[in-house]
PDB file of all heavy atoms in Angstrom:
ATOM      1  N   PHE A   7      12.716  51.117 -14.438  1.00 88.00           N
ATOM      2  CA  PHE A   7      12.611  50.525 -13.114  1.00 88.00           C
ATOM      3  C   PHE A   7      13.914  49.817 -12.779  1.00 88.00           C
ATOM      4  O   PHE A   7      14.757  49.608 -13.661  1.00 88.00           O
ATOM      5  CB  PHE A   7      11.399  49.578 -13.000  1.00 88.00           C
ATOM      6  CG  PHE A   7      11.507  48.322 -13.841  1.00 88.00           C
ATOM      7  CD1 PHE A   7      11.849  47.116 -13.244  1.00 88.00           C
ATOM      8  CD2 PHE A   7      11.245  48.335 -15.183  1.00 88.00           C
ATOM      9  CE1 PHE A   7      11.938  45.946 -13.990  1.00 88.00           C
ATOM     10  CE2 PHE A   7      11.332  47.177 -15.953  1.00 88.00           C
ATOM     11  CZ  PHE A   7      11.664  45.988 -15.360  1.00 88.00           C
ATOM     12  N   PRO A  21       1.729  47.342 -24.982  1.00 89.00           N
ATOM     13  CA  PRO A  21       1.070  47.427 -23.677  1.00 89.00           C
ATOM     14  C   PRO A  21       0.453  46.089 -23.245  1.00 89.00           C
ATOM     15  O   PRO A  21       0.066  45.924 -22.092  1.00 89.00           O
ATOM     16  CB  PRO A  21      -0.004  48.509 -23.858  1.00 89.00           C
ATOM     17  CG  PRO A  21      -0.166  48.641 -25.324  1.00 89.00           C
ATOM     18  CD  PRO A  21       1.115  48.216 -25.968  1.00 89.00           C
ATOM     19  N   THR A  24       3.217  41.124 -20.851  1.00 91.00           N
ATOM     20  CA  THR A  24       3.185  40.914 -19.403  1.00 91.00           C
ATOM     21  C   THR A  24       4.586  41.081 -18.826  1.00 91.00           C
ATOM     22  O   THR A  24       5.593  40.971 -19.543  1.00 91.00           O
ATOM     23  CB  THR A  24       2.674  39.505 -19.059  1.00 91.00           C
ATOM     24  OG1 THR A  24       3.624  38.546 -19.539  1.00 91.00           O
ATOM     25  CG2 THR A  24       1.302  39.244 -19.665  1.00 91.00           C
ATOM     26  N   LEU A  25       4.647  41.337 -17.525  1.00 91.00           N
ATOM     27  CA  LEU A  25       5.950  41.396 -16.863  1.00 91.00           C
ATOM     28  C   LEU A  25       6.666  40.066 -17.020  1.00 91.00           C
ATOM     29  O   LEU A  25       7.874  40.027 -17.269  1.00 91.00           O
ATOM     30  CB  LEU A  25       5.781  41.747 -15.381  1.00 91.00           C
ATOM     31  CG  LEU A  25       7.058  41.746 -14.551  1.00 91.00           C
ATOM     32  CD1 LEU A  25       8.089  42.727 -15.113  1.00 91.00           C
ATOM     33  CD2 LEU A  25       6.735  42.070 -13.097  1.00 91.00           C
ATOM     34  N   PHE A  28       8.154  39.964 -20.445  1.00 94.00           N
ATOM     35  CA  PHE A  28       9.272  40.904 -20.542  1.00 94.00           C
ATOM     36  C   PHE A  28      10.510  40.326 -19.869  1.00 94.00           C
ATOM     37  O   PHE A  28      11.607  40.361 -20.431  1.00 94.00           O
ATOM     38  CB  PHE A  28       8.905  42.254 -19.915  1.00 94.00           C
ATOM     39  CG  PHE A  28      10.033  43.229 -19.938  1.00 94.00           C
ATOM     40  CD1 PHE A  28      10.308  43.953 -21.090  1.00 94.00           C
ATOM     41  CD2 PHE A  28      10.840  43.408 -18.829  1.00 94.00           C
ATOM     42  CE1 PHE A  28      11.378  44.841 -21.129  1.00 94.00           C
ATOM     43  CE2 PHE A  28      11.908  44.294 -18.853  1.00 94.00           C
ATOM     44  CZ  PHE A  28      12.175  45.010 -20.010  1.00 94.00           C
ATOM     45  N   SER A  32      14.012  38.890 -21.617  1.00 93.00           N
ATOM     46  CA  SER A  32      15.277  39.539 -21.244  1.00 93.00           C
ATOM     47  C   SER A  32      16.287  38.527 -20.727  1.00 93.00           C
ATOM     48  O   SER A  32      17.351  38.904 -20.237  1.00 93.00           O
ATOM     49  CB  SER A  32      15.016  40.604 -20.175  1.00 93.00           C
ATOM     50  OG  SER A  32      14.139  41.596 -20.657  1.00 93.00           O
ATOM     51  N   LYS A  38       8.143  31.362 -14.267  1.00 92.00           N
ATOM     52  CA  LYS A  38       7.616  30.487 -15.329  1.00 92.00           C
ATOM     53  C   LYS A  38       6.145  30.778 -15.579  1.00 92.00           C
ATOM     54  O   LYS A  38       5.463  31.327 -14.740  1.00 92.00           O
ATOM     55  CB  LYS A  38       7.713  29.004 -14.923  1.00 92.00           C
ATOM     56  CG  LYS A  38       8.978  28.596 -14.237  1.00 92.00           C
ATOM     57  CD  LYS A  38      10.109  28.514 -15.203  1.00 92.00           C
ATOM     58  CE  LYS A  38      11.333  27.917 -14.498  1.00 92.00           C
ATOM     59  NZ  LYS A  38      12.567  28.444 -15.004  1.00 92.00           N
ATOM     60  N   CYS A  49       4.141  32.175 -12.051  1.00 91.00           N
ATOM     61  CA  CYS A  49       4.593  33.404 -12.696  1.00 91.00           C
ATOM     62  C   CYS A  49       4.858  34.520 -11.697  1.00 91.00           C
ATOM     63  O   CYS A  49       5.113  35.653 -12.091  1.00 91.00           O
ATOM     64  CB  CYS A  49       3.557  33.868 -13.721  1.00 91.00           C
ATOM     65  SG  CYS A  49       1.967  34.285 -12.984  1.00 91.00           S
ATOM     66  N   ILE A  53       8.176  42.001  -5.869  1.00 81.00           N
ATOM     67  CA  ILE A  53       8.408  43.428  -6.045  1.00 81.00           C
ATOM     68  C   ILE A  53       8.694  43.994  -4.668  1.00 81.00           C
ATOM     69  O   ILE A  53       7.858  43.908  -3.764  1.00 81.00           O
ATOM     70  CB  ILE A  53       7.192  44.124  -6.684  1.00 81.00           C
ATOM     71  CG1 ILE A  53       6.958  43.534  -8.074  1.00 81.00           C
ATOM     72  CG2 ILE A  53       7.411  45.623  -6.738  1.00 81.00           C
ATOM     73  CD1 ILE A  53       5.699  44.045  -8.743  1.00 81.00           C
TER      74      ILE A  53
END
Side-chain angles (χ1 to χ4, degrees):
F7 67 102
T24 66
L25 176 58
F28 178 81
S32 299
K38 318 286 187 213
C49 63
I53 298 174

